[in-house]
Amino acid sequence: MLSTPIRKLTRRLSEIFTPSKTKAHQLPPKMADQEEDFSSLPLPDRFSHKVWKVRKQAYEDAAKQFEVTPDESDPAFTPFLQDPNLWKSAVADSNVAAQQEGITALCSFLKYGGRQACTRTRNLTISPIVEKGLSSTRAAAKSKALEALLLYIELDVPGPIIEDLIPFLSHKQPKIIAAALSALTSIYNAYGCKTVDPKPVLKLLPKVFGHADKNVRAESQGLAVEFYRWLREAMKPMFWGELKPVQQQDLESLFEKTKQEPAPKQERYLRSQQAAMAATAAAGEEEAGVEVEEEVVEIDAFDLAEPVDVSSKVPKDFHENVSSTKWKDRKDALDALYAVLNVPRIKDADFGEIIRSLAKCMKDANIAVVTVAANCVDVLAKGLRKGFPRYRSVIMTPIMDRLKEKKQSVADALGQALDSVFTATSLTDCLEETLEYLKHKNPQVKLETLRFLIRCLRATREVPHKPEVKSIADAATKQLTDSSEVVRSGAAEILGTLMKIMGERAMNPYLDGLDEIRKTRIKEYFETAEVKAKDKPKPPPAPVAAHKAAPGRKVMGKRPAPGQKKPAPRAPTPVEEPAPAPPQPKPTGKNAPPRLGAQPKSGLAQPGAGLKLQKRLTGPGGAAAPNVSSPRRPVSHPPPPQEEEVAPPPAPKFGLTGRGLAGRPLGKPPPAVSAVEPVSNSSVIAAGMSAIERAELEELRAEKERLQRTNEDLRAERSKLNSQIHELQNQNAQLIEDHTRDVLSIKAKETQLVRARSDHEAAEQMVHKQQREMERLKRELSRAVRATSPAPADVSEQIYRDAGMNGAGRYDSAGYTGGYGRQGTKRLSFASSMSEEKENGGLDAATYRGKLSPPLSAGLSSGTATGGRGSPTPARDGGGGAAGDGIESWKRAAEVTSQLKARIEQMKV
């Protein structure tokens, strides 16, 4: 029931969706012709067709056509090479589907078209690839665009592509900048920083790091991380200082994640590199080629930087200031020089005068000057590299002389300078001075030299030569017996590092005489040593060459065997040169000429002729002789015992004469007789032939001995001259050191002399000042004495006079005598007290008047008159007391005067 309606519905739908033949025939004939003729149009016309489907089909057909071409010169490439604009329009097609196929066709064109396809089209296609392809929303189109860029680099050189990509880092659209950064990251990831120069891009990184768009900043960080994988710390001097601290911290955190990764390897190779690798593989040296490729990956800041001309920036007064007597001036001059020289790469110029000044600074007494000078040598050697070896002999010896400094900061600076000198030169250049200073008497110099040699062996990329290995091993072996444990450990480390380079087998001869403890220690250092150079034993010569060389020596006839077939024909071969054999030798001819001027021997000419015949006709195997030689020749072949008969040692000496077969019997006599005659003939011929050879041999031996003696004399003379040179260098260094020490001593003495002169002048001024003070004191003393009543000329006489008068006053009338005595006593007491107080500090005039006036006023106002008659007893008592006080005052005055005179005398001295 339901099947009929369903069947009708199905028929109706098929009629609706399936065009009928009548409708197909009703299409315009022009449109049908166009659809049929699209495939018949030429590809260039279809590339520029206005219908996108036609263009898309044309791109696909072109890609298939390129894939089946036999070589790069196929005619299929010609129209596209003649009109490169076709690819520009294909890459920038307005339809995304057609654009994707157009970029795919371009990749096929580059892949099979070769270098010519690259150079003809890259100037026109790079810009649309970046703007339309790398920024496309289709992942397939984006990957094909990147593949096209990589193919452009692979077919030729990366420089033009990088130059075309750099302007897009300043594009106004952020997505174009991000796409260009992503492409650069992929390029450096595929080809590496050794193949693609990173310098043009590194300079632009700070600009893109500060972009406002986060996608651009993210892509720039990814590019920086890719650079760090290849360059490590060498990339930082190029742009690191232009970044903000926050940006530096972010990059450092990203760099930490890549430090643990293995060293990157180049994933894609240029066509030129592929050809070189194919040639290397064809020569059977694939492993060597790979190792070389891994070694050249290492890049440092020197390779990335541009040379800087620093010679014009050196301060004009540098040489004047570096020779100053003040260490501060010398250090300031070296600091200024360091600031000038501290650049990654220095343009080569004449730095001889600066090097000589730095060499003098190594002997400076101030360690700060020595440290800065060593830093200057460090940066100069790093910046010059190949231009520095000519200065090595001038600076290296003073640096190693100064290794005696025990302060660690100075030792580190000197060691760093030596490492930079070694990096700029080689182990061979530095080895002679290094081994010489291993014998230094100063243990500090010896220890630092050992450490320097260890660093050299670890860093060298050139395997030392056999004489250098021997000299290093001998010097280190001697240091194994040093009294210092550190020196012994350093010597063992040198031997272990050298064993790592040369191999255990090569170092066994140098370790034979050592005990097991030292061998064990050397093996420990051998297992832990890390070196960059390893000796590879040369492969033995090919067995084919050895096989060819052996018959050559036999052909020379050095060792003939008369009883054997094979050597017999080869031995006489060189004899034919001085005396060629006749073209048709006759075994029984008696007129055969003797060889090499030998005398003809009657009755024995046949053996010689037989020898010629055999030599002429037998092959290397001796099998052709029986077919042509005489019938007696097979009979004359001796049995094996005859080989032992001619085996004595003299036989090889006469092998050059070619007479090894002359001892064979050619007749039918008994074997014993025939054996004796040819031997005697052979000896005679050999004796005749060996005379010239022996003379030549003796002459050659004498010449060899003479050359050996001359060589030994020259070596002895060379060693003597070298020792004299070293001695003169040491003397020169000692003289320079003595001169420097003398100059410093003279300067110190001059400083002391100047100080002594200034002290002398100060002392003289002090003496004059004290003398003036003494004169002033004398004048004050005399002035004070004159201001009072004059003292008697003789103090002791006056004292007795006063005492007598006072005594008389006691027994005479009290009024007059006592009063006189009191007045004299008052005057004396005043003078003595005035003198004492003047000596102890002095008094002013009011004090003097006070000392004089109180007694007078007291005498006038008191009830008991001191000078009157009314009270005799108080007057007597007062007079006696005044006289006693006066005597004591004069004694004190005399003492003070004597003390003053003594002080004056002391001050004069």
Side-chain angles (χ1 to χ4, degrees), residues 29-42:
K30 187 175 179 181
M31 185 179 295
D33 294 341
Q34 285 181 353
E35 291 179 358
E36 294 176 358
D37 293 339
F38 287 156
S39 59
S40 62
L41 291 175

Side-chain angles (χ1 to χ4, degrees), residues 792 794-803 828 890:
D794 190 357
V795 178
S796 59
E797 182 179 353
Q798 183 64 29
I799 291 173
Y800 289 127
R801 184 181 303 169
D802 290 342
L828 182 59
W890 278 109

Side-chain angles (χ1 to χ4, degrees), residues 762-777:
E764 287 184 347
Q765 293 177 0
M766 181 63 69
V767 169
H768 290 307
K769 183 178 179 181
Q770 295 296 335
Q771 287 179 353
R772 289 195 299 270
E773 184 66 19
M774 288 169 53
E775 294 296 334
R776 188 183 65 79
L777 290 175

Side-chain angles (χ1 to χ4, degrees), residues 36 60 204 296 530 784 821 841:
E36 294 176 358
E60 295 175 354
L204 302 176
V296 297
E530 296 181 0

